[in-house]
Every structure is written in C-alpha cells, then in structure tokens.
Amino acid sequence: HLLVTQYEVSAQRRAEAALAQRERELADEVAALRTLQRTSTALVEGDDPSSIFRTIVGAAATLMGSQCASLKMLDAATGTLQLVDWRGFDPASAEFWRTVDLDGASTCGRALHDGERSIVPDVEADTALAGSGDLEAYRRSRIRAVQSTPLRSRTGALLGMISTHWHEVHAPSERDLRWFDVLARQAADVL
C-alpha cells in the first residue's frame, strides 16, 4: 500500500510539473500575441518612419527576449544595408554597422549574401568571425549570440534585415523564430 501511495504521489507531482510547464508556455504565447497585436496597431497608425523603425526594433527585442536589436534597410543603389534603428549597441558598434555589405562577416552580411536567416549562437566560437571587425563590434556591445532575418516584400524583393542580439550564448527556439517571422512579415508589409 505504501508503494502505491508513493507512486501516486510521484505521478501527481509529474502531472503538476507538466501542467505548470504548459501554463508557462501558454502565458508566453499570449504575451507574444499581445506584442504582435500592439505592434500591428502601432505600425498601421504610424506615419513617421523613425517611430515605425523604433516600433519594429522594440517588438523584435521583446519577442525574442534579447538585449539588443537592429533594423537595416536595403539601399538598392549600392546593394548595402543601412542601419536605421537599433537598441543596446555600444555607439562605436552602431557606427561600425552603419553600412553592411555582402562581404560582411556579421550575421546581416551572411544573411544578405545567402538570402536567408543567419543564426550564430556564440560569436566567440564562430570561426568566420575570428579576427573580424564584426567580432570586435560584438564584443564592445557585449553581444554573444545573434540572429538576422531578411525582410522581404510579398513579391520576394529584399527590403532590409532585422536582427536580435543576446548578451549570453543563445539559440532561439523554433517557437520564438515563428513569432519573429510574423513580426518580420508585419514589418515588411509596412515598409
């Protein structure tokens, strides 16, 4: 009888832990939906480009739980990305990333070159960044992990790049990337 009771208590604890985990996941989903709804409203109502850029960058950091974020727009004449808004960068890093080209070692340069999202969970372990100015810029801003996602129009034309940056080694979850893709779609539609 004692073994059955211990088994039942153990099973109940596992069920309670699973329920608590699911409740946390649901709360995260609701928070993401609220962020996207507020962002959508702000983007539709916004008429000043700088406030639109700031809204996109703020939503990116919130959705991804990152300390830093940036938005770059494509300069079609030069084929480079131009930094239009950012949060959390050291000023020297922001100046270094003011323009990013196809050959850049940063995730934006890679995503621009490859045409798809670039994720670097640990900039210190990434051999492509070794000795680069980008690595030094990441270090100045205490950035350890980065993801950059191309912003594309409905026709597929590249419009820009939206990135998030963390102060610790980090690989974004598939769930976070899905929500981020919704934000990227909203941003691309407005831009």
Side-chain angles (χ1 to χ4, degrees):
H1 180 61
L2 183 59
L3 288 176
V4 170
T5 303
Q6 287 176 340
Y7 174 77
E8 290 171 349
V9 168
S10 180
Q12 173 138 0
R13 286 185 183 149
R14 283 192 307 274
E16 288 170 353
L19 180 60
Q21 175 63 28
R22 184 63 191 128
E23 287 173 345
R24 283 190 297 275
E25 291 169 359
L26 184 57
D28 289 346
E29 297 284 321
V30 169
L33 284 169
R34 285 187 178 139
T35 296
L36 289 169
Q37 188 277 328
R38 282 191 306 270
T39 301
S40 179
T41 300
L43 291 176
V44 168
E45 293 174 353
D47 57 358
D48 171 42
S50 63
S51 71
I52 290 171
F53 298 155
R54 202 170 26 259
T55 296
I56 293 167
V57 168
T62 298
L63 278 175
M64 297 296 272
S66 64
Q67 294 79 27
C68 310
S70 63
L71 176 64
K72 296 178 180 72
M73 297 303 296
L74 181 66
D75 180 337
T78 63
T80 60
L81 294 170
Q82 303 296 312
L83 184 65
V84 295
D85 200 76
W86 54 274
R87 82 163 32 172
F89 290 170
D90 173 89
S93 297
E95 185 56 36
F96 179 79
W97 288 314
R98 183 75 44 205
T99 299
V100 174
D101 62 32
L102 194 62
D103 300 322
S106 70
T107 56
C108 281
R110 292 179 202 183
L112 181 60
H113 179 268
D114 299 340
E116 60 187 40
R117 183 182 350 253
S118 177
I119 299 173
V120 177
D122 184 358
V123 299
E124 295 293 339
D126 191 274
T127 57
L129 288 169
S132 72
D134 288 291
L135 181 58
E136 291 308 311
Y138 288 137
R139 287 174 176 163
R140 276 193 303 273
S141 292
R142 299 182 0 252
I143 293 170
R144 280 300 294 266
V146 186
Q147 78 76 32
S148 293
T149 299
L151 294 174
R152 296 196 175 279
S153 71
R154 294 277 176 174
T155 63
L158 181 66
L159 303 172
M161 198 74 56
I162 186 167
S163 303
T164 50
H165 315 75
W166 295 266
H167 288 168
E168 64 282 337
V169 173
H170 180 78
S173 70
E174 287 301 315
R175 181 191 64 88
D176 287 347
L177 291 172
R178 278 193 315 275
W179 287 122
F180 194 77
D181 287 343
V182 173
L183 172 65
R185 172 78 289 141
Q186 286 179 334
D189 285 348
V190 168
L191 297 170

